[in-house]
mmCIF file of all heavy atoms in Angstrom:
data_model
loop_
_atom_site.group_PDB
_atom_site.id
_atom_site.type_symbol
_atom_site.label_atom_id
_atom_site.label_comp_id
_atom_site.label_asym_id
_atom_site.label_seq_id
_atom_site.Cartn_x
_atom_site.Cartn_y
_atom_site.Cartn_z
ATOM 1 N N TYR W 161 16.393 19.522 -7.774
ATOM 2 C CA TYR W 161 17.370 20.512 -8.241
ATOM 3 C C TYR W 161 18.122 20.967 -6.999
ATOM 4 O O TYR W 161 17.671 21.852 -6.262
ATOM 5 C CB TYR W 161 16.659 21.684 -8.927
ATOM 6 C CG TYR W 161 17.630 22.747 -9.385
ATOM 7 C CD1 TYR W 161 18.451 22.539 -10.500
ATOM 8 C CD2 TYR W 161 17.755 23.947 -8.690
ATOM 9 C CE1 TYR W 161 19.357 23.500 -10.903
ATOM 10 C CE2 TYR W 161 18.663 24.916 -9.091
ATOM 11 C CZ TYR W 161 19.458 24.678 -10.204
ATOM 12 O OH TYR W 161 20.364 25.635 -10.607
ATOM 13 N N ALA W 162 19.223 20.293 -6.715
ATOM 14 C CA ALA W 162 19.966 20.551 -5.474
ATOM 15 C C ALA W 162 21.467 20.654 -5.748
ATOM 16 O O ALA W 162 22.271 19.917 -5.155
ATOM 17 C CB ALA W 162 19.667 19.452 -4.463
ATOM 18 N N SER W 165 23.501 22.085 -2.186
ATOM 19 C CA SER W 165 23.645 21.172 -1.047
ATOM 20 C C SER W 165 24.041 19.770 -1.508
ATOM 21 O O SER W 165 24.596 19.004 -0.729
ATOM 22 C CB SER W 165 22.334 21.078 -0.269
ATOM 23 O OG SER W 165 21.354 20.355 -0.999
ATOM 24 N N PHE W 167 22.045 17.472 -1.869
ATOM 25 C CA PHE W 167 21.271 16.664 -0.925
ATOM 26 C C PHE W 167 19.848 16.514 -1.478
ATOM 27 O O PHE W 167 18.914 17.205 -1.043
ATOM 28 C CB PHE W 167 21.270 17.363 0.446
ATOM 29 C CG PHE W 167 20.753 16.523 1.578
ATOM 30 C CD1 PHE W 167 21.596 15.661 2.274
ATOM 31 C CD2 PHE W 167 19.407 16.587 1.964
ATOM 32 C CE1 PHE W 167 21.115 14.887 3.330
ATOM 33 C CE2 PHE W 167 18.919 15.812 3.018
ATOM 34 C CZ PHE W 167 19.780 14.968 3.700
ATOM 35 N N VAL W 169 16.160 15.429 -2.095
ATOM 36 C CA VAL W 169 15.065 14.947 -1.243
ATOM 37 C C VAL W 169 13.813 14.792 -2.110
ATOM 38 O O VAL W 169 13.580 15.594 -3.023
ATOM 39 C CB VAL W 169 14.778 15.941 -0.095
ATOM 40 C CG1 VAL W 169 13.700 15.413 0.838
ATOM 41 C CG2 VAL W 169 16.060 16.246 0.706
ATOM 42 N N ALA W 184 10.146 17.505 -5.220
ATOM 43 C CA ALA W 184 11.548 17.454 -4.808
ATOM 44 C C ALA W 184 11.981 18.832 -4.338
ATOM 45 O O ALA W 184 11.276 19.826 -4.562
ATOM 46 C CB ALA W 184 12.421 17.004 -5.971
ATOM 47 N N ASN W 185 13.119 18.888 -3.670
ATOM 48 C CA ASN W 185 13.647 20.195 -3.273
ATOM 49 C C ASN W 185 14.180 20.945 -4.491
ATOM 50 O O ASN W 185 14.698 20.344 -5.445
ATOM 51 C CB ASN W 185 14.697 20.074 -2.167
ATOM 52 C CG ASN W 185 15.786 19.063 -2.430
ATOM 53 O OD1 ASN W 185 15.610 18.113 -3.187
ATOM 54 N ND2 ASN W 185 16.930 19.249 -1.810
ATOM 55 N N ILE W 186 14.030 22.259 -4.439
ATOM 56 C CA ILE W 186 14.419 23.133 -5.550
ATOM 57 C C ILE W 186 15.236 24.281 -4.965
ATOM 58 O O ILE W 186 14.696 25.150 -4.261
ATOM 59 C CB ILE W 186 13.188 23.665 -6.306
ATOM 60 C CG1 ILE W 186 12.334 22.489 -6.824
ATOM 61 C CG2 ILE W 186 13.621 24.577 -7.453
ATOM 62 C CD1 ILE W 186 11.021 22.897 -7.467
ATOM 63 N N GLU W 187 16.528 24.278 -5.232
ATOM 64 C CA GLU W 187 17.423 25.262 -4.606
ATOM 65 C C GLU W 187 17.650 26.472 -5.516
ATOM 66 O O GLU W 187 17.202 26.506 -6.672
ATOM 67 C CB GLU W 187 18.743 24.565 -4.243
ATOM 68 C CG GLU W 187 18.510 23.458 -3.214
ATOM 69 C CD GLU W 187 19.783 22.745 -2.777
ATOM 70 O OE1 GLU W 187 20.837 22.907 -3.413
ATOM 71 O OE2 GLU W 187 19.692 22.010 -1.768
ATOM 72 N N TRP W 195 13.746 25.856 -1.671
ATOM 73 C CA TRP W 195 12.746 25.256 -0.784
ATOM 74 C C TRP W 195 12.812 23.736 -0.803
ATOM 75 O O TRP W 195 13.467 23.139 -1.642
ATOM 76 C CB TRP W 195 11.342 25.768 -1.084
ATOM 77 C CG TRP W 195 10.765 25.388 -2.412
ATOM 78 C CD1 TRP W 195 10.033 24.281 -2.700
ATOM 79 C CD2 TRP W 195 10.841 26.150 -3.623
ATOM 80 N NE1 TRP W 195 9.656 24.288 -4.019
ATOM 81 C CE2 TRP W 195 10.143 25.433 -4.619
ATOM 82 C CE3 TRP W 195 11.439 27.372 -3.977
ATOM 83 C CZ2 TRP W 195 10.028 25.887 -5.925
ATOM 84 C CZ3 TRP W 195 11.323 27.807 -5.289
ATOM 85 C CH2 TRP W 195 10.624 27.074 -6.238
ATOM 86 N N CYS W 196 12.116 23.157 0.165
ATOM 87 C CA CYS W 196 12.178 21.716 0.426
ATOM 88 C C CYS W 196 11.266 20.914 -0.512
ATOM 89 O O CYS W 196 10.398 21.463 -1.200
ATOM 90 C CB CYS W 196 11.771 21.435 1.864
ATOM 91 S SG CYS W 196 12.962 21.981 3.111
ATOM 92 N N ALA W 197 11.470 19.600 -0.463
ATOM 93 C CA ALA W 197 10.647 18.690 -1.265
ATOM 94 C C ALA W 197 9.182 18.700 -0.835
ATOM 95 O O ALA W 197 8.274 18.614 -1.675
ATOM 96 C CB ALA W 197 11.205 17.275 -1.140
ATOM 97 N N GLU W 198 8.961 18.808 0.474
ATOM 98 C CA GLU W 198 7.598 18.694 0.990
ATOM 99 C C GLU W 198 6.679 19.802 0.456
ATOM 100 O O GLU W 198 5.557 19.519 0.035
ATOM 101 C CB GLU W 198 7.624 18.681 2.523
ATOM 102 C CG GLU W 198 8.303 17.454 3.127
ATOM 103 C CD GLU W 198 9.823 17.596 3.314
ATOM 104 O OE1 GLU W 198 10.449 18.420 2.627
ATOM 105 O OE2 GLU W 198 10.361 16.885 4.172
ATOM 106 N N VAL W 218 8.693 10.461 2.688
ATOM 107 C CA VAL W 218 9.834 11.355 2.482
ATOM 108 C C VAL W 218 11.092 10.505 2.346
ATOM 109 O O VAL W 218 11.271 9.519 3.080
ATOM 110 C CB VAL W 218 9.991 12.337 3.673
ATOM 111 C CG1 VAL W 218 11.206 13.244 3.477
ATOM 112 C CG2 VAL W 218 8.729 13.172 3.847
ATOM 113 N N CYS W 226 15.354 10.259 6.630
ATOM 114 C CA CYS W 226 15.382 11.723 6.732
ATOM 115 C C CYS W 226 14.001 12.235 7.163
ATOM 116 O O CYS W 226 13.008 12.010 6.476
ATOM 117 C CB CYS W 226 15.756 12.336 5.383
ATOM 118 S SG CYS W 226 15.765 14.137 5.387
ATOM 119 N N PRO W 227 13.907 12.910 8.290
ATOM 120 C CA PRO W 227 12.607 13.453 8.713
ATOM 121 C C PRO W 227 12.395 14.843 8.120
ATOM 122 O O PRO W 227 13.368 15.545 7.829
ATOM 123 C CB PRO W 227 12.770 13.533 10.235
ATOM 124 C CG PRO W 227 14.229 13.758 10.450
ATOM 125 C CD PRO W 227 14.981 13.187 9.266
ATOM 126 N N PRO W 228 11.141 15.236 7.938
ATOM 127 C CA PRO W 228 10.879 16.596 7.457
ATOM 128 C C PRO W 228 11.448 17.628 8.428
ATOM 129 O O PRO W 228 11.409 17.427 9.649
ATOM 130 C CB PRO W 228 9.347 16.672 7.436
ATOM 131 C CG PRO W 228 8.869 15.267 7.442
ATOM 132 C CD PRO W 228 9.914 14.467 8.153
ATOM 133 N N CYS W 229 11.960 18.718 7.894
ATOM 134 C CA CYS W 229 12.504 19.791 8.740
ATOM 135 C C CYS W 229 11.368 20.462 9.516
ATOM 136 O O CYS W 229 10.182 20.231 9.255
ATOM 137 C CB CYS W 229 13.271 20.813 7.897
ATOM 138 S SG CYS W 229 12.225 21.999 7.039
ATOM 139 N N CYS W 232 8.785 22.382 7.499
ATOM 140 C CA CYS W 232 7.953 21.461 6.706
ATOM 141 C C CYS W 232 6.922 20.765 7.576
ATOM 142 O O CYS W 232 5.810 20.490 7.129
ATOM 143 C CB CYS W 232 8.819 20.430 5.993
ATOM 144 S SG CYS W 232 9.687 21.138 4.577
HETATM 145 N N1 LIG N 570 15.365 19.475 2.537
HETATM 146 C C1 LIG N 570 14.145 19.018 2.130
HETATM 147 O O1 LIG N 570 13.834 19.043 0.925
HETATM 148 N N2 LIG N 570 13.276 18.569 3.062
HETATM 149 C C2 LIG N 570 13.557 18.480 4.401
HETATM 150 O O2 LIG N 570 12.662 18.240 5.200
HETATM 151 C C3 LIG N 570 14.937 18.662 4.846
HETATM 152 C C4 LIG N 570 15.770 19.501 3.931
HETATM 153 C C5 LIG N 570 16.275 20.006 1.525
HETATM 154 C C6 LIG N 570 16.484 21.490 1.598
HETATM 155 C C7 LIG N 570 17.821 21.648 0.907
HETATM 156 O O3 LIG N 570 17.593 21.736 -0.489
HETATM 157 C C8 LIG N 570 18.540 20.346 1.206
HETATM 158 O O4 LIG N 570 17.552 19.429 1.671
HETATM 159 C C9 LIG N 570 19.629 20.464 2.251
HETATM 160 O O5 LIG N 570 19.147 21.028 3.419
#
Side-chain angles (χ1 to χ4, degrees):
Y161 178 74
S165 72
F167 192 86
V169 183
N185 50 336
I186 303 174
E187 297 182 347
W195 66 90
C196 290
E198 294 88 337
V218 178
C226 178
C229 80
C232 285

